[in-house]
Amino acid sequence: MRPAAVEYIAAREVGEVLAALADGETSVLAGGQSLVPVVTRPGAPPCRLVDINRVGGFDTLAEDDGCLRVGPLVRHRAFESGVVGGALGDLLRVVVQHIGHPPIRARGTMLGSLAYAHPAAEWPAVAVTVGARMVLDGPDGRRTVPADTFFTAPFTTARRPQELLVEARLPTLPDGTGIGYAEDRRSSIYPQAAAMAAVTVTGGVVSAAALCLVNSGPHPVRAVAAENALLGTRFSDTAIALTAEVAAEQDTRRLDDDATRPARRQAYRVLARRALRHARQGAGRCG
Amino acid sequence: MQVTMTVNGTEHTREIEGRMLLVHFLRDVLGLTGTHWGCDTSNCGVCVVWLDGEPVKSCTVLAAMAGGHEVRTVEGLAEGAELDPIQEGFRQCHGLQCGFCTPGMLMTCRALLDRNPDPTEGEIREAISGQICRCTGYSSIVRSVQWTAAHEAAAAATKEEAVAP
């Protein structure tokens, strides 16, 4: 069965992209790793796509004023080599290895993944963990949305249909920060559950902590109560075990079948513990 | 709409529909049936070709997106009758059984060796993690890549010796 008609628009500058998006029904085509299979699937409705791959200046990847600025055409693969120093560079390099397969990483983009907002995807979790800011361009000009309000529901963000995500700003992490990521994956390109941590140790004591649970709800969330339990501790095995215990209680996913809840809690308990132990190895350096 | 792309060094211009995938453009429009069409959902990897030197799944790229770019398919590996070393490696080490996954495996593994001439077994398995061999002949595929890496290293050493005074 042939796919439905696709109206394809090749934009060369940001103004052409915004003009195409003005109808509120056009989708942005960047790497296409999620979008192309969806729109060409038999039975999919006709659609209108604006291809941004030929827009100049969209491949920005630069550290600027304490932030890593990422443009709309930076592919996953770019993060395989350290694009920025410190713990943020470590986090990006560790996480990117979990995204899809090598051909997907060669083509897919970080901003595409952020805008797609799959609840189990890695980049939205990174954005929430480090407190990234999303820059949107639209008919009323530019606005910036913090990651914790950008993701609103599965596959849904604060981006209006007429807007383009033009930049993600990822704050670099302070000296003494260690990062960790652990996931439970069964034969899929997305994890069932995952935990991501960025913990700063100053003078032997935890001075800042971010712990994000992935696929535990409609979008990635920080386990704030667990983070608070870790703050001020010496990052001991006991502190990690207690933090993981608190994190596991914060599984917010609504499921009809409550029978899987204990198993999911156990998964988050173990994953949070692993992510925190991983983070401890890097924490405290120069701190 | 009209699209122009270079495939294996030859420029092609064709009238196509926006919905056409690159894999169908290569197979049905240009008749280059070496690239296979499998799952159509970006999972199996039989359709991998190079787009500007990077392996991509051609079922996940619209033909229109390849306009103005360079594509290399499995037909572009051999030079005349001389097989590319990766093809020779698959031949020597029985890296194919039914052959369905082979075009994608070859393009992915060629790209791996171009970037990393001496990969570990783990690196080879990671590189082909987006490819499914329905005969489950992964061990032979890994051996084929290792054979090719050793063969290319030996060939490079011989060449260096010949050049040395």
Side-chain angles (χ1 to χ4, degrees):
Chain A
M1 186 176 164
R2 293 210 310 163
V6 171
E7 187 185 342
Y8 173 89
I9 303 159
R12 299 213 167 255
E13 50 184 282
V14 67
E16 291 175 12
V17 181
L18 296 181
L21 292 175
D23 68 357
E25 289 181 355
T26 301
S27 300
V28 179
L29 177 58
Q33 298 302 290
S34 302
L35 185 59
V36 171
V38 168
V39 300
T40 58
R41 185 190 66 218
C47 71
R48 191 165 182 259
L49 305 177
V50 57
D51 183 355
I52 64 168
N53 282 282
R54 297 174 185 87
V55 179
F58 268 10
D59 53 358
T60 304
L61 183 60
E63 194 183 345
D64 185 9
D65 202 17
C67 271
L68 181 68
R69 294 169 50 215
V70 184
L73 287 179
V74 179
R75 316 280 165 181
H76 303 312
R77 235 194 82 182
F79 300 96
E80 287 177 359
S81 52
V83 291
V84 60
L88 178 62
D90 294 344
L91 180 63
L92 296 170
R93 202 173 50 240
V94 165
V95 166
V96 72
Q97 297 164 17
H98 295 270
I99 299 177
H101 319 298
I104 289 176
R105 297 202 284 270
R107 195 76 194 141
T109 63
M110 175 187 270
L111 266 58
S113 167
L114 294 171
Y116 185 52
H118 191 298
E122 289 85 356
W123 291 141
V126 168
V128 168
T129 302
V130 303
R133 295 165 66 78
M134 314 297 179
V135 183
L136 296 159
D137 201 353
D140 305 323
R142 288 193 169 206
R143 66 187 179 111
T144 303
V145 181
D148 57 356
T149 54
F150 182 74
F151 304 103
T152 55
F155 309 106
T156 311
T157 68
R159 183 184 77 87
R160 299 183 189 116
Q162 295 82 5
E163 288 178 319
L164 176 70
L165 179 58
V166 289
E167 191 169 287
R169 292 189 184 151
L170 312 178
T172 52
L173 296 166
D175 283 350
T177 305
I179 59 90
Y181 181 62
E183 66 175 34
D184 171 20
R185 186 194 293 233
R186 327 258 165 93
S187 66
S188 159
I189 58 172
Y190 286 108
Q192 303 267 107
M196 194 177 289
V199 181
T200 313
V201 170
T202 314
V205 172
V206 174
S207 56
L211 179 63
C212 181
L213 304 183
V214 187
N215 211 19
S216 70
H219 47 80
V221 284
R222 296 262 299 260
V224 178
E227 293 170 357
N228 288 338
L230 190 63
L231 283 174
T233 70
R234 305 197 77 81
F235 215 171
S236 63
D237 283 341
T238 316
I240 287 176
L242 176 70
T243 306
E245 201 64 45
V246 178
E249 293 303 309
Q250 196 191 304
D251 175 15
T252 58
R253 186 160 50 166
R254 276 177 47 220
L255 279 185
D256 297 334
D257 178 12
D258 215 34
T260 60
R261 183 171 286 268
R264 290 203 324 273
R265 286 210 170 148
Q266 174 64 8
Y268 284 109
R269 191 176 292 126
V270 170
L271 294 168
R273 212 154 53 205
R274 284 182 192 163
L276 291 167
R277 282 193 189 137
H278 180 187
R280 185 168 60 182
Q281 291 169 10
R285 283 181 309 199
C286 335
Chain B
M1 62 178 295
Q2 200 178 61
V3 67
T4 299
M5 72 180 84
T6 303
V7 181
N8 301 327
T10 308
E11 194 175 280
H12 299 274
T13 301
R14 293 287 192 282
E15 195 65 32
I16 59 159
E17 289 185 79
R19 67 181 123 187
M20 177 169 272
L21 294 169
L22 180 59
V23 63
H24 298 315
F25 181 82
L26 295 170
R27 288 177 56 86
D28 304 343
V29 178
L30 300 186
L32 294 172
T33 53
T35 301
H36 288 169
W37 175 39
C39 70
D40 224 2
T41 53
S42 197
N43 282 292
C44 80
V46 303
C47 68
V48 168
V49 300
W50 290 11
L51 186 60
D52 293 339
E54 288 279 5
V56 300
K57 301 194 174 191
S58 60
C59 77
T60 316
V61 176
L62 294 172
M65 296 173 79
H69 294 277
E70 291 203 9
V71 175
R72 190 183 186 197
T73 69
V74 70
E75 287 92 345
L77 280 181
E79 285 195 35
E82 194 181 332
L83 294 179
D84 185 279
I86 192 70
Q87 293 172 305
E88 188 59 36
F90 272 63
R91 186 174 164 219
Q92 292 291 334
C93 302
H94 308 285
L96 62 153
Q97 292 172 52
C98 83
F100 190 66
C101 72
T102 311
M105 288 287 184
L106 289 172
M107 298 313 287
T108 303
C109 295
R110 181 69 269 166
L112 167 70
L113 291 175
D114 286 351
R115 211 163 56 225
N116 177 3
D118 187 23
T120 62
E121 179 178 343
E123 287 167 338
I124 297 169
R125 288 188 180 271
E126 164 64 16
I128 61 169
S129 61
Q131 325 281 127
I132 293 171
C133 166
R134 62 187 185 179
C135 310
T136 70
Y138 297 103
S139 297
S140 305
I141 291 168
V142 170
R143 275 198 297 276
S144 303
V145 179
Q146 289 168 329
W147 183 94
T148 309
H151 178 83
E152 289 187 329
T158 312
K159 205 171 158 192
E160 222 164 78
E161 235 167 65
V163 175

